[in-house]
Amino acid sequence: MKRILLTLIIIVSYKVSAQTATLNDTIVLSRKQAESIFLEKNISLISEKLNIDIADAQVIQAKLWPNPTLTVGEINLWNNATAQQLPALWGNFGRTQQVNAELEQLVQTAGKRKKMIAMEKVGVDIAKEYFKTFLRNLKIEFRGNLTELQYTQAQEALYKKQLAYLKTLLKAYGNQVSQGNVGKGEYIRLKASELQFLKELSDLQKDNNSLQKELKVLMNLPPTSYIKLTDEGFVPENKNLEDINVGNLMASAVDNRPDVKVLKLGNDYNDLKYKYERAKRTPDVTLGMSYDRGASLMNDFVGVGFSLDLPFFDRNKGNIKVAKLTVDQGKLETEEKTLTVQSEVLQAYQDLIVTKKLYDTVDATYEGDLDKLLDAYRKNFMQKNTSMLEYLDFVDAYMDNKSILLNSKKDLNNDLEQLRYIAGEEIN
């Protein structure tokens, strides 16, 4: 019996401590606070940023000269009767030893090294813009998840509130049914509504769980954390949206969007690559110095020389043509991208204005009036001035309207974020 009691105490203590830990792991954040954590701790961003350091390292490598080559050979460790006598290297050693040494250094001509450095520097700029593109894509995903979580939390709160009212009604109706004052059919009708609400709430909780998982990964938070967002920012500031100059916005997107900059930098890289390939028509020169002991007219012979490829057959024509075609191809892609970006900005702005007009059609007091009307229906139903069918019909209409209002806020937020994403800048 003591063992059983001890086991039960341990189990109860574990459950209480687990519930307390879960409660303590709840993090209440605003959108701005959540984004600050995301920008600071996101593992993918930290990893992607290393590509800039990798590109910087490539510039360092391009600046280095090729290593010289030292060749030592023709060393004899023995001799025969035909060996000639030479001056000793030290003491009596080396009178019959022969050795040959050569030192070579490759010298790149036609500015190849400088052109390669310039190409790698453009590569650093491209890496920076790729990082901005990655951040831009990750940011819209993150902000979209924040909006979805705020929407889901608002929906959950709405259903929980209505479910609490229904449970109160069910309790009262259950007592009336047991006393024979009310038919069981009405109780069953209320019970069916409760079941429908429970099903909706269950689906919302699953959506919440999925969003929690996504956001915790993006924010690099412990798996046991539970994120609770405030309502701040769910309805974005939208008073001056109609005053936006779309022409300026399109021009700004073409100039500032990271993916467009990558294309333009790619064109710069292609131009440099074309110049580099043309420079390769000029052969590089290898300068050399050699030392020969005992194998020439002199005992200690020192000579200099050079070597280079004779460009009779290979003038790098194929690679030059490829580089030139790549330049032309890049210009066409940039032209198409410019047109695409301008069209995307215009569409995103038009979609946002359509959503804003829908949002603005709802009177500022409408939502409050809807809540008051629901309270009035509930009181009339409790006083039997309204039938259950009328009451439940109004509850359904109330929930539909609440969902429409929440969706209009969510759509306004999402469309504004989409315009920011398309324009490549933070539009206030």
Side-chain angles (χ1 to χ4, degrees):
M1 180 62 71
K2 288 181 179 179
R3 289 180 180 177
I4 294 172
L5 287 174
L6 181 61
T7 303
L8 288 173
I9 291 171
I10 292 172
I11 292 172
V12 171
S13 300
Y14 173 78
K15 287 185 175 181
V16 171
S17 62
Q19 290 173 354
T20 304
T22 302
L23 184 63
N24 291 337
D25 283 345
T26 299
I27 306 173
V28 180
L29 298 168
S30 66
R31 289 178 69 102
K32 290 182 178 178
Q33 290 171 330
E35 187 159 322
S36 295
I37 295 173
F38 157 71
L39 293 174
E40 179 184 354
K41 293 187 175 183
N42 183 269
I43 296 174
S44 296
L45 285 178
I46 297 171
S47 174
E48 186 69 20
K49 201 168 185 178
L50 292 177
N51 285 330
I52 299 175
D53 296 331
I54 292 171
D56 282 327
Q58 294 293 339
V59 175
I60 295 172
Q61 183 63 37
K63 289 180 178 179
L64 300 178
W65 279 76
N67 287 326
T69 302
L70 175 63
T71 305
V72 179
E74 299 185 8
I75 302 175
N76 61 310
L77 302 177
W78 57 88
N79 61 77
N80 54 36
T82 63
Q84 298 180 10
Q85 292 293 315
L86 299 170
L89 291 172
W90 61 83
N92 290 322
F93 176 76
R95 294 185 181 278
T96 58
Q97 265 64 46
Q98 179 179 328
V99 64
N100 174 268
E102 294 182 1
L103 183 65
E104 294 181 334
Q105 174 65 55
L106 176 67
V107 178
Q108 292 177 314
T109 60
K112 295 188 187 75
R113 181 167 161 272
K114 289 183 179 180
K115 291 179 174 64
M116 182 61 72
I117 293 171
M119 287 165 60
E120 295 300 342
K121 286 182 177 179
V122 173
V124 174
D125 293 334
I126 290 175
K128 290 177 181 177
E129 295 305 323
Y130 268 129
F131 174 75
K132 291 178 184 177
T133 299
F134 183 79
L135 173 60
R136 173 172 164 262
N137 292 334
L138 208 58
K139 190 181 284 186
I140 191 173
E141 177 189 348
F142 177 74
R143 289 178 176 178
N145 284 334
L146 290 181
T147 302
E148 285 294 334
L149 184 58
Q150 286 179 310
Y151 170 80
T152 303
Q153 287 178 168
Q155 285 277 61
E156 278 190 87
L158 178 63
Y159 275 95
K160 284 178 180 178
K161 186 177 180 180
Q162 296 309 312
L163 193 59
Y165 288 143
L166 264 180
K167 286 184 180 296
T168 302
L169 289 176
L170 278 167
K171 186 176 180 181
Y173 261 74
N175 294 332
Q176 293 295 318
V177 169
S178 62
Q179 295 172 15
N181 298 328
V182 177
K184 197 171 183 180
E186 292 186 351
Y187 178 80
I188 295 298
R189 181 70 181 84
L190 279 176
K191 197 70 178 173
S193 294
E194 180 196 34
L195 184 61
Q196 181 63 34
F197 276 22
L198 286 171
K199 175 63 171 64
E200 295 289 344
L201 192 58
S202 175
D203 292 339
L204 287 169
Q205 287 170 342
K206 288 178 181 178
D207 292 340
N208 192 329
N209 292 338
S210 177
L211 290 165
Q212 291 283 335
K213 181 204 73 173
E214 295 294 333
L215 285 169
K216 281 184 282 189
V217 171
L218 288 169
M219 297 168 68
N220 195 17
L221 293 175
T224 54
S225 302
Y226 183 85
I227 302 167
K228 174 72 176 176
L229 292 178
T230 63
D231 294 334
E232 173 269 325
F234 183 55
V235 180
E237 292 293 333
N238 58 87
K239 294 180 181 178
N240 302 319
L241 292 180
E242 289 89 347
D243 299 333
I244 293 175
N245 188 310
V246 183
N248 291 342
L249 200 60
M250 288 191 289
S252 175
V254 172
D255 291 336
N256 299 318
R257 257 180 56 168
D259 53 338
V260 180
K261 282 187 174 181
V262 166
L263 269 180
K264 293 178 178 178
L265 286 169
N267 291 340
D268 295 340
Y269 184 89
N270 292 337
D271 288 335
L272 291 169
K273 183 75 183 324
Y274 175 64
K275 293 176 182 177
Y276 176 74
E277 294 295 344
R278 284 176 58 84
K280 286 172 71 175
R281 295 180 304 177
T282 304
D284 296 330
V285 177
T286 301
L287 302 179
M289 176 180 289
S290 63
Y291 166 77
D292 198 331
R293 169 182 165 82
S296 67
L297 297 175
M298 305 179 193
N299 286 339
D300 295 293
F301 174 81
V302 177
V304 295
F306 69 91
S307 66
L308 73 162
D309 294 335
L310 298 177
F312 291 157
F313 307 112
D314 183 3
R315 295 280 291 173
N316 205 34
K317 288 182 179 179
N319 290 332
I320 292 172
K321 186 173 182 179
V322 169
K324 181 64 172 65
L325 291 173
T326 304
V327 170
D328 297 338
Q329 188 180 52
K331 290 178 180 178
L332 292 172
E333 290 175 353
T334 304
E335 184 179 343
E336 182 184 31
K337 186 69 173 180
T338 300
L339 181 60
T340 301
V341 168
Q342 291 171 337
S343 301
E344 287 175 348
V345 170
L346 182 59
Q347 181 190 351
Y349 178 75
Q350 290 172 337
D351 289 346
L352 176 61
I353 295 302
V354 169
T355 302
K356 185 179 183 303
K357 285 180 179 178
L358 174 63
Y359 177 78
D360 290 341
T361 55
V362 180
D363 190 274
T365 61
Y366 176 73
E367 195 166 2
D369 293 341
L370 200 61
D371 292 334
K372 291 177 184 177
L373 191 56
L374 178 64
D375 290 337
Y377 262 86
R378 188 179 297 111
K379 289 177 183 177
N380 285 325
F381 176 60
M382 294 295 290
Q383 295 169 2
K384 297 187 178 180
N385 295 327
T386 301
S387 69
M388 176 178 288
L389 185 60
E390 289 177 318
Y391 171 69
L392 291 179
D393 282 345
F394 182 77
V395 169
D396 288 340
Y398 171 84
M399 297 299 288
D400 288 341
N401 274 263
K402 278 285 191 176
S403 293
I404 291 172
L405 292 172
L406 282 173
N407 274 293
S408 68
K409 296 172 183 177
K410 182 181 76 169
D411 291 344
L412 185 64
N413 203 321
N414 285 336
D415 285 356
L416 180 56
E417 287 301 330
Q418 184 67 17
L419 181 60
R420 286 171 175 159
Y421 173 79
I422 295 297
E425 61 178 282
E426 295 293 332
I427 300 169
N428 297 320

